[in-house]
Amino acid sequence: MKAAVVSSFDRPPGYDDFPDPVPQHSGELVVDVVATALHPRVRSQADGSHYSSTGELPLVPGIDAVVRDSRGRHYYALLDDTTLGTMAQRTVIDKDRSVALPRHADPIAVAAAVNPAMSSWVALRHRIDFKRGSRVLILGATGNAGRMAIQVAKRFGAGEVIAAGRNPQRLNGLKALGADRVLTLDQLDMAGDVDVVIDYVWGQPTAKGMVDLLTHRRDRGKDLIWIEVGSMAGPGAEIISAALRSTRLQVVGSGIGSVSGHHFRTEIAKIAEAVTEGAFDVRTRTAPLSDVTAAWTQTLGGDERLVFLP
């Protein structure tokens, strides 16, 4: 079969031959891939930089997809770390990590939206005790996952959502998605006493922004939970000791390893249902998988997600 094949971590995948998938146990099923999206998590998988990388090559990237079984039924499937991902004509899925989709579901929208929505959805559902009416600050809100986080927080009853990012022009467009206020990353001293921060940025902007936010916090005794989800600006952020001692600050992470597979499976069905209902603003660009090498380096707007069609 044909697939996007990573032969070297310093080059984009090439469209090449790869062995046909073979189930390893009774819970696995060989399926046709209908649509699979290029998430930041997939890029880090393909360049070997993700913390779960084993360094094994060659590999087919892709962590999720809309797939079709032999009877023509569509599923959203999430894969474990494997050298046979979803950027192929066929792949192997675990039945326990797949969700049957309604017949009217748009495969492209589901493939594009479930992963970025999952990051904030699972964080708010399973990493903290999120309370309706909470004030939420999203760092990196102009990215695809950040845009979804605005909509997820509102869906879960946030009292106020503040969207923060680098680009003022793109920030202004986020009010249409439910953001009550927008700030650039150097304006976090104006955020006020927020309850929850969802951080897709990390790195130096977080190190500075955390100090700005906490220094101008009026009620130091009020709980603030900082959820680290992504690291677009760098893998490390210096947190000064006074930030942890002078306020009721908790820093938690949300991702693979910090949330059980059971909880991910439970929430996937709910997210896929919400996407199918049209609950999220989903913007996509499609490309045939055969164009993977050229498409891999395309520059997309932060509100778009590239979806490959095998």
Side-chain angles (χ1 to χ4, degrees):
M1 70 171 182
K2 291 292 187 179
V5 181
V6 176
S7 301
S8 172
F9 288 130
D10 59 4
R11 295 196 305 271
Y15 188 65
D16 210 341
D17 293 315
F18 201 81
D20 283 308
V22 178
Q24 299 299 312
H25 58 76
S26 59
E28 291 187 338
L29 181 69
V30 175
V31 291
D32 294 323
V33 178
V34 177
T36 178
L38 179 55
H39 312 300
R41 166 70 176 82
V42 177
R43 289 189 182 277
S44 63
Q45 175 192 29
D47 65 19
S49 65
H50 195 264
Y51 61 82
S52 65
S53 176
T54 64
E56 186 178 355
L57 290 175
L59 67 82
V60 173
I63 59 171
D64 66 344
V66 173
V67 300
R68 181 177 56 240
D69 66 13
S70 60
R71 296 177 298 174
R73 187 75 186 270
H74 284 183
Y75 298 81
Y76 171 82
L78 181 67
L79 271 61
D80 284 319
D81 289 311
T82 172
T83 55
L84 176 56
T86 54
M87 291 190 173
Q89 292 175 320
R90 291 175 294 282
T91 194
V92 174
I93 66 169
D94 188 325
K95 296 176 184 177
D96 289 338
R97 291 170 62 85
S98 61
V99 176
L101 297 175
R103 293 188 180 278
H104 62 279
D106 179 354
I108 294 171
V110 172
V114 171
N115 175 273
M118 190 186 309
S119 62
S120 55
W121 185 297
V122 170
L124 295 181
R125 291 273 292 172
H126 295 285
R127 290 299 287 139
I128 67 172
D129 180 17
F130 184 74
K131 295 179 174 57
R132 295 185 67 86
S134 295
R135 301 179 69 225
V136 179
L137 170 64
I138 300 167
L139 305 187
T142 57
N144 201 280
R147 294 176 76 256
M148 290 291 183
I150 296 169
Q151 300 168 78
V152 169
K154 281 293 187 179
R155 183 181 181 90
F156 289 171
E160 182 182 28
V161 175
I162 305 166
R166 291 190 178 91
N167 188 316
Q169 185 175 359
R170 283 166 57 183
L171 280 169
N172 287 331
L174 299 181
K175 292 181 179 179
L177 298 180
D180 299 286
R181 286 195 286 150
V182 297
L183 300 171
T184 58
L185 293 177
D186 59 2
Q187 294 177 322
L188 297 188
D189 58 331
M190 301 168 58
D193 288 5
V194 299
D195 303 297
V196 178
V197 176
I198 303 175
D199 187 354
Y200 292 98
V201 178
W202 207 238
Q204 192 278 333
T206 287
K208 179 182 181 300
M210 185 180 290
V211 172
D212 291 345
L213 186 67
L214 296 178
T215 300
H216 292 84
R217 196 166 176 80
R218 293 184 296 272
D219 185 355
R220 298 291 183 93
K222 185 179 182 182
D223 288 335
L224 170 60
I225 304 178
W226 199 291
I227 312 176
E228 199 285 316
V229 182
S231 51
M232 294 186 297
E238 182 180 5
I239 300 175
I240 63 172
S241 58
L244 299 174
R245 298 199 309 265
S246 63
T247 59
R248 292 180 61 84
L249 171 66
Q250 293 178 275
V251 181
V252 302
S254 184
I256 297 172
S258 64
V259 179
S260 72
H262 168 73
H263 287 144
F264 272 113
R265 288 192 294 273
T266 299
E267 301 305 332
I268 284 171
K270 299 174 184 176
I271 299 168
E273 181 180 356
V275 172
T276 301
E277 292 172 353
F280 300 115
D281 179 70
V282 182
R283 302 181 186 183
T284 62
R285 185 183 300 181
T286 60
L289 188 61
S290 57
D291 290 346
V292 62
T293 302
W296 198 267
T297 56
Q298 285 181 357
T299 300
L300 300 179
D303 58 353
E304 288 184 314
R305 182 127 299 185
L306 181 61
V307 178
F308 288 112
L309 307 176

